Amino acid sequence: MTIILANLPYEKDALEPHISAKTMSFHYGKHHNAYVTNLNKLIEGTDLANETLEDIIKKTANNAEKAGIFNNAAQVWNHTFYWHSMMPNGGGLPTGAIAEKINVDFGGYDNFIEQLKNTGLTQFGSGWAWLVLKNNKLELMATSNADTPIAHGLKPLLTVDVWEHAYYLDYQNGRGNYLDAFLHNLVNWEFVNSNLV
Ligand code: MN
């Protein structure tokens, strides 16, 4: 099947002033779109052309010869998950089942956001910060470059892109300011809850 660029769940200017329409235009329209285009070129005429995106990721993980396919496929998947991890007027205190689980597994919301921010800040270079479910317990993790929890058998609940292309136009080198905006104004807790079930 041809891998398609999923629609954004909101307009490009919907996350302003926290993420500008200009950032969305480049990040979604250029970067995400390029991963889709590159992936389709790389799998054309191969056995992987008939696989789902998730299966392409799982079948090429940890295979040095397939690193180009893995990187593009994982970036396609990660970005779609990231767009849905955000919403206009999001962020702040969690709602629903995830709220209680954060209290149990992190000892409260304040500890949780401090640790998630730190996970994003300490990822050296390009990558992603994630909230995942492991053995029914919440955990934070960072992945480098295109790497993704679904390649490690983990269930992602929330992600934030910490590649410079995600924040440089709006925050320059201020990754911490971008992470603050994500946590306080953008997190889509309904999406997190929908991934928990
Ligand atoms: Mn990105």
Side-chain angles (χ1 to χ4, degrees), residues 84-196:
H84 285 87
S85 291
M86 301 186 288
M87 62 180 286
N89 302 311
L93 290 171
T95 53
I98 193 68
E100 180 57 24
K101 208 153 173 55
I102 283 174
N103 283 335
V104 171
D105 292 343
F106 290 98
Y109 172 72
D110 290 344
N111 276 341
F112 165 73
I113 58 169
E114 185 186 338
Q115 288 180 43
L116 180 50
K117 182 179 177 183
N118 196 47
T119 300
L121 273 177
T122 55
Q123 166 56 34
F124 186 78
S126 295
W128 301 81
W130 303 85
L131 175 66
V132 301
L133 199 62
K134 185 179 181 183
N135 301 324
N136 205 35
K137 201 168 182 297
L138 299 178
E139 282 192 15
L140 296 170
M141 69 183 293
T143 58
S144 291
N145 298 317
D147 197 16
T148 182
I150 66 171
H152 304 276
L154 298 168
K155 189 178 169 67
L157 304 177
L158 174 73
T159 195
V160 56
D161 188 343
V162 295
W163 285 57
E164 280 188 346
H165 66 219
Y167 58 86
Y168 212 84
L169 291 175
D170 297 327
Y171 299 92
Q172 290 74 54
N173 61 328
R175 189 188 285 188
N177 295 331
Y178 159 69
L179 289 166
D180 284 339
F182 176 84
L183 292 166
H184 297 297
N185 303 104
L186 296 173
V187 174
N188 183 343
W189 289 116
E190 274 182 43
F191 177 66
V192 180
N193 275 309
S194 74
N195 292 322
L196 197 53

Side-chain angles (χ1 to χ4, degrees), residues 4-5 26-40 76 79 83:
I4 58 156
L5 177 66
F26 277 93
H27 199 177
Y28 173 76
K30 303 288 185 188
H31 292 277
H32 193 181
N33 190 40
Y35 296 127
V36 173
T37 303
N38 291 339
L39 177 60
N40 281 314
V76 171
H79 280 90
W83 307 133

